[in-house]
Amino acid sequence: MAKEVKTIGVLTSGGDAPGMNAAIRAVVRTAISDGLKVKGIMRGYAGLLAEEIIDMDSSSVADTINRGGTILYTARCMEFMTADGQKRGAEICKKHGIDGVVVIGGDGSYRGMGKLSALGINCVGVPGTIDLDIACTEYTIGFDTAVNTAMEAIDKIRDTSTSHERCSIIEVMGRHAGYIALWCGIGNGAEEILLPERYDGDEQAIINRIIDARKRGKKHYIIINAEGIGHSTSMARRIEAATGIETRATILGHMQRGGSPTCKDRVYASIMGSMAADLLAEGKTNRIVAYRHGDYVDIDLVEALAMQKDIPDVYYSVSKKLMR
Ligand code: ADP
Ligand code: F6P
């Protein structure tokens, strides 16, 4: 039987992502219109255990839809990985009258949310990560802003790379996933895209292609390298030594996680956040809001965590055809 929920909490957890504020705003305003009270839990599970809990109303989220980062701050919390930490988290929720929580984050945050749910706190997850690496959903909040930020930076590097007739290795985020690298690779017209899911480590083949491209008159050679492969600086040194072509490495880093969210991120975040609040209002728990096959849906947590995701073949094969 569905549990009646009167007060919900909302938290952001794991790496921040542009659009998280739009999601928080949607949770707060939808919950209020559903007749619920809302509390903000600061700094993810760490803030929950520290009882950093604030009352939120409609005005708490005013002027936030356009802001990057997360107004609730975010953190990673080792203590919440333990059974004692989880039990204390559930007790703190009960003490503050919180009977449902919206967790905005990635797979790790969902695992934590599953533990809270098992301890009697209804929970719903919203996908927030720039990495696009959550298997159950085709879209994660922050990805569009991050790839556009990276794309603009790479365009600029391309200008100087062409002027100096250099090779450039540009490392983009994605510790375990190559989606940002793949999209930038296609969107920036890169000569090489190195993805953790596909890279075979054959650096000599890259060197041969660089030499061949220079013979054909290419003025630059842009290599997009995903963080999951890394070692961009040493790779640049080896390529320069082997080709005789000046080679520079740029690691874009955390600039990809900041900035005002794009319209796409604001809209997806608004719909997903709003759906999450509605699901809690209906007494649901252990659900993840997702975007699949052109529709917004909600999926059981256990099923969601069991799903696998890989780079779509069509993107990879097209990127290969266009790299000449
Ligand atoms: P993301 O949500 O982006 O995948 P993390 O993997 O860093 O980010 O997870 C965020 C937080 O979620 C962790 O710091 C921890 O507090 C909590 N968490 C992750 N995995 C678990 C787990 N198996 N059990 C309980 N809590 C977890
Ligand atoms: O937000 C996702 C992500 O950017 C990964 O691509 C990256 O590996 C990780 O976060 C780094 O996060 P932090 O520097 O905060 O530990």
Side-chain angles (χ1 to χ4, degrees):
M1 202 181 70
K3 183 177 100 178
E4 197 195 353
V5 168
K6 291 192 176 131
T7 301
I8 67 164
V10 54
L11 62 82
T12 47
S13 170
D16 67 342
M20 279 185 164
N21 287 328
I24 296 166
R25 173 178 176 271
V27 168
V28 171
R29 294 197 171 167
T30 302
I32 290 168
S33 82
D34 288 340
L36 305 177
K37 288 205 172 98
V38 192
K39 299 201 180 206
I41 301 168
M42 311 296 286
R43 301 179 178 81
Y45 297 117
L48 174 62
L49 296 184
E51 292 193 54
E52 295 181 78
I53 297 169
I54 56 166
D55 290 328
M56 294 188 90
D57 60 21
S58 214
S59 64
S60 318
V61 288
D63 282 331
T64 60
I65 196 163
N66 55 329
R67 283 167 58 188
T70 158
I71 56 166
L72 294 175
Y73 302 97
T74 186
R76 298 191 170 96
C77 176
M78 290 311 288
E79 193 188 342
F80 202 74
M81 309 280 275
T82 66
D84 278 355
Q86 293 150 14
K87 196 164 150 266
R88 215 160 64 72
E91 280 161 8
I92 291 168
C93 285
K94 285 173 192 158
K95 177 178 160 192
H96 287 263
I98 295 172
D99 25 38
V101 177
V102 175
V103 173
I104 305 167
D107 282 342
S109 305
Y110 298 163
R111 288 199 175 85
M113 148 191 151
K115 305 287 166 47
L116 259 191
S117 186
L119 291 163
I121 309 299
N122 283 9
C123 293
V124 173
V126 170
T129 168
I130 65 165
D131 287 344
L132 197 68
D133 62 347
I134 301 176
C136 69
T137 182
E138 288 152 23
Y139 195 72
T140 63
I141 297 161
F143 177 73
D144 189 56
T145 309
V147 283
N148 277 290
T149 301
M151 184 191 73
E152 285 174 19
I154 295 164
D155 279 346
K156 293 183 170 79
I157 294 168
R158 184 193 180 109
D159 289 345
T160 170
S161 200
T162 306
S163 305
H164 287 262
E165 299 175 72
R166 281 175 177 156
C167 171
S168 286
I169 303 179
I170 301 146
E171 188 172 308
V172 297
M173 271 190 161
R175 194 175 287 167
H176 305 294
Y179 295 96
I180 298 177
L182 180 60
W183 277 64
C184 287
I186 297 172
N188 289 102
E191 278 67 39
E192 298 278 344
I193 308 174
L194 310 184
L195 311 176
E197 297 88 344
R198 294 282 187 281
Y199 184 49
D200 60 6
D202 189 353
E203 208 167 280
Q204 188 56 49
I206 298 173
I207 288 165
N208 295 344
R209 287 194 289 271
I210 296 171
I211 294 168
D212 181 56
R214 184 51 57 101
K215 280 189 194 145
R216 286 186 283 113
K218 272 227 183 232
K219 297 296 179 203
H220 61 249
Y221 200 91
I222 304 288
I223 301 172
I224 309 290
N225 186 28
E227 180 191 357
I229 294 169
H231 304 289
S232 298
T233 308
S234 56
M235 203 185 281
R237 250 186 264 119
R238 288 192 297 274
I239 287 175
E240 181 166 309
T243 61
I245 297 167
E246 270 194 314
T247 303
R248 297 283 190 269
T250 307
I251 297 168
L252 295 184
H254 289 89
M255 57 108 67
Q256 295 160 92
R257 282 220 307 236
S260 178
T262 59
C263 186
K264 177 167 178 171
D265 274 324
R266 296 180 198 194
V267 171
Y268 277 66
S270 298
I271 293 171
M272 288 175 158
S274 181
M275 276 180 70
D278 280 341
L279 286 164
L280 285 180
E282 290 161 19
K284 304 256 174 70
T285 189
N286 260 347
R287 309 296 297 176
I288 305 294
V289 178
Y291 185 78
R292 288 171 73 82
H293 313 304
D295 212 354
Y296 295 94
V297 294
D298 58 282
I299 299 171
D300 173 70
L301 173 70
V302 178
E303 280 173 37
L305 289 177
M307 290 178 182
Q308 304 286 329
K309 191 171 191 177
D310 193 13
I311 294 290
D313 282 336
V314 63
Y315 287 71
Y316 191 64
S317 60
V318 167
S319 77
K320 286 277 181 205
K321 283 181 200 156
L322 303 184
M323 284 183 231
R324 278 282 303 157

